[in-house]
Amino acid sequence: LICDPPYQSFKDLVDVLGASKGSISNMTRLHLEAGLIERFTLPGDRQTYYQIRPRAWIRMLRRKMIVFDDLSRTAERGHKLLEQESPRRDLWRLCEMRDFYGFISRKVPALIDEYESEAERKRDG
């Protein structure tokens, strides 16, 4: 986030962070898979570089939203199944999980849209 230049090679990351090659390799792979960073090369340079992707935070949150939706639906299915099996059973934990992730799933997309509109106004203004 604060490196100069805004991209770094694998060797740069090992040297600056003082971490093992294995750790850097694992973390760059995880960050690439999560969409947080991107890999690229520079013309005439054989090294591979890494940098934070534009809008990385939004991409990551949108991916998390898929998980939140799944959690809400899973809790709802569990609640329905258990409620039919034993209507008097205490299911508040499932209800709380379903309601929380359902709330997040409904509200966060609008917040992302609002943020993107605000960010666009700042860039254009």
Side-chain angles (χ1 to χ4, degrees):
L1 288 174
I2 58 170
C3 58
D4 186 23
Y7 52 85
Q8 300 290 304
S9 69
F10 183 85
K11 183 183 178 324
D12 293 336
L13 293 170
V14 170
D15 293 345
V16 171
L17 297 174
S20 71
K21 289 180 180 179
S23 293
I24 298 296
S25 179
N26 285 334
M27 292 310 295
T28 52
R29 181 182 48 78
L30 289 172
H31 285 79
L32 285 163
E33 289 172 4
L36 179 62
I37 63 174
E38 61 188 359
R39 178 185 1 226
F40 68 98
T41 57
L42 296 171
D45 189 342
R46 293 175 35 169
Q47 287 193 78
T48 298
Y49 294 93
Y50 302 92
Q51 68 181 2
I52 300 289
R53 289 182 70 166
R55 302 177 69 236
W57 319 116
I58 294 169
R59 285 180 219 277
M60 285 180 52
L61 186 52
R62 287 193 192 277
R63 289 176 108 170
K64 293 272 188 215
M65 293 306 302
I66 295 166
V67 174
F68 295 160
D69 290 342
D70 288 345
L71 288 169
S72 179
R73 283 192 299 275
T74 299
E76 177 63 21
R77 282 194 307 271
H79 181 266
K80 285 181 180 177
L81 284 169
L82 292 173
E83 189 177 51
Q84 291 170 1
E85 179 184 293
S86 176
R88 295 174 43 170
R89 190 175 196 162
D90 183 9
L91 302 175
W92 69 269
R93 290 176 195 88
L94 276 173
C95 291
E96 183 178 63
M97 180 182 164
R98 174 201 61 205
D99 294 348
F100 175 75
Y101 286 113
F103 177 84
I104 296 296
S105 293
R106 288 189 314 276
K107 298 294 184 174
V108 170
L111 288 172
I112 292 171
D113 291 344
E114 183 180 340
Y115 168 79
E116 287 184 311
S117 293
E118 187 175 304
E120 189 175 323
R121 283 193 303 277
K122 284 181 180 179
R123 279 191 303 271
D124 294 345

